Amino acid sequence: MPRHNNIIPNVHCHKDWQSRVKTWFNQPARKKRRRDARAAKAKAISPRPVKGMLRPIVHGSTIRYNMKTKLGRGFTLDELKAAGISAKLAPTIGIAVDHRRTNKSEESLKLNVDRLLEYKSKLVIFPRRSSKPKKGDSPVEELKKVVQMSGEVMPIKGSKQDVEYVTLDDEAKSVKAYAKLRLERMNARMTGVRKKRAEEEEKEATEKAKLG
């Protein structure tokens, strides 16, 4: 027995836990099955990119996430029109279309239009029938050089902002920023009180002038 005023040991060690253990011996086989499925899919859609269609760059919703960019569902009809691509042709050349999304700013519209134009400049179109190539299909020399793309189609490039260092002069050092912020905060808070006080003083002065 343990010493001092402790809890009395009452451990239940006869619960037959062996029959309730969850085993996962099929994990390696599932890993191989997923890998084989990815390889079969890549072979089936070749020479198209493994990761799928081209997606637009969009901003997250709400004030918490709207400064972050991510890949959206599809390009808007306005973006496709500005890039000179029809909405029916776009899915056939690897461009995702989202007819529900709308552009809220000129900047986002221009960003995705430039993205589409860059994609068009790099696009290689295979003919449906190699014996009868049509207008707009890529030449045979380019078709021979094509290698299936395994990564994301035109991934988002992170923009790193350069930090500018400035040497503080005596004038900048003499400014008491915290005291100034507190003063402006107090002025903003007291605006209504001071306005009311000034109106009352003006009213009292007017009444005194009338009596005098």
Side-chain angles (χ1 to χ4, degrees):
M1 292 292 291
R3 297 178 62 187
H4 308 300
N5 187 21
N6 297 317
I7 189 170
I8 298 173
N10 188 22
V11 183
H12 302 280
C13 295
H14 302 284
K15 290 188 176 180
D16 190 27
W17 61 272
Q18 292 90 341
S19 62
R20 296 179 175 84
V21 170
K22 171 74 174 175
T23 58
W24 201 340
F25 299 130
N26 61 348
Q27 185 183 18
R30 280 188 176 180
K31 180 181 179 180
K32 185 177 183 301
R33 187 172 69 190
R34 287 194 300 270
R35 179 172 180 162
D36 292 344
R38 287 196 298 271
K41 181 183 177 182
K43 187 178 180 181
I45 66 173
S46 180
R48 291 185 286 270
V50 175
K51 289 283 186 178
M53 295 185 166
L54 176 72
R55 307 282 175 181
I57 297 176
V58 298
H59 288 264
S61 58
T62 72
I63 197 170
R64 183 175 182 180
Y65 299 109
N66 62 6
M67 80 291 296
K68 295 183 178 181
T69 55
K70 59 182 180 179
L71 294 178
R73 182 183 292 273
F75 291 89
T76 63
L77 301 179
D78 291 335
E79 290 167 353
L80 293 169
K81 186 177 180 181
I85 303 170
S86 67
K88 286 187 177 180
L89 176 67
T92 64
I93 57 174
I95 299 172
V97 182
D98 186 5
H99 62 88
R100 295 166 296 182
R101 189 168 72 84
T102 56
N103 293 103
K104 300 293 195 303
S105 66
E106 288 292 331
E107 290 81 6
S108 69
L109 177 67
K110 186 179 183 305
L111 177 68
N112 284 317
V113 169
D114 293 343
R115 187 172 169 82
L116 285 169
L117 294 174
E118 184 183 352
Y119 177 77
K120 275 178 66 178
S121 66
K122 298 177 180 179
L123 186 63
V124 177
I125 300 177
F126 280 73
R128 290 190 176 183
R129 297 170 67 180
S130 57
S131 58
K132 292 184 179 180
K134 293 184 178 180
K135 184 182 178 182
D137 295 338
S138 299
V140 181
E141 292 76 17
E142 285 189 24
L143 301 180
K144 290 179 180 178
K145 299 176 184 177
V146 170
V147 179
Q148 188 178 27
M149 190 176 182
S150 58
E152 198 75 52
V153 181
M154 292 176 64
I156 300 173
K157 297 176 183 176
S159 59
K160 194 174 182 181
Q161 295 181 350
D162 296 330
V163 179
E164 185 180 352
Y165 294 94
V166 180
T167 305
L168 296 177
D169 53 5
D170 295 334
E171 184 181 353
K173 290 179 181 178
S174 63
V175 175
K176 296 181 179 179
Y178 181 72
K180 185 174 177 58
L181 285 172
R182 296 292 296 182
L183 179 64
E184 294 300 327
R185 184 182 177 190
M186 185 266 294
N187 290 336
R189 191 176 67 247
M190 296 293 290
T191 301
V193 178
R194 289 171 178 170
K195 185 179 179 181
K196 185 178 179 182
R197 190 183 299 162
E199 289 175 355
E200 289 177 353
E201 289 177 357
E202 186 180 352
K203 189 177 179 181
E204 288 179 7
T206 307
E207 290 177 356
K208 285 181 180 179
K210 287 180 181 178
L211 293 171

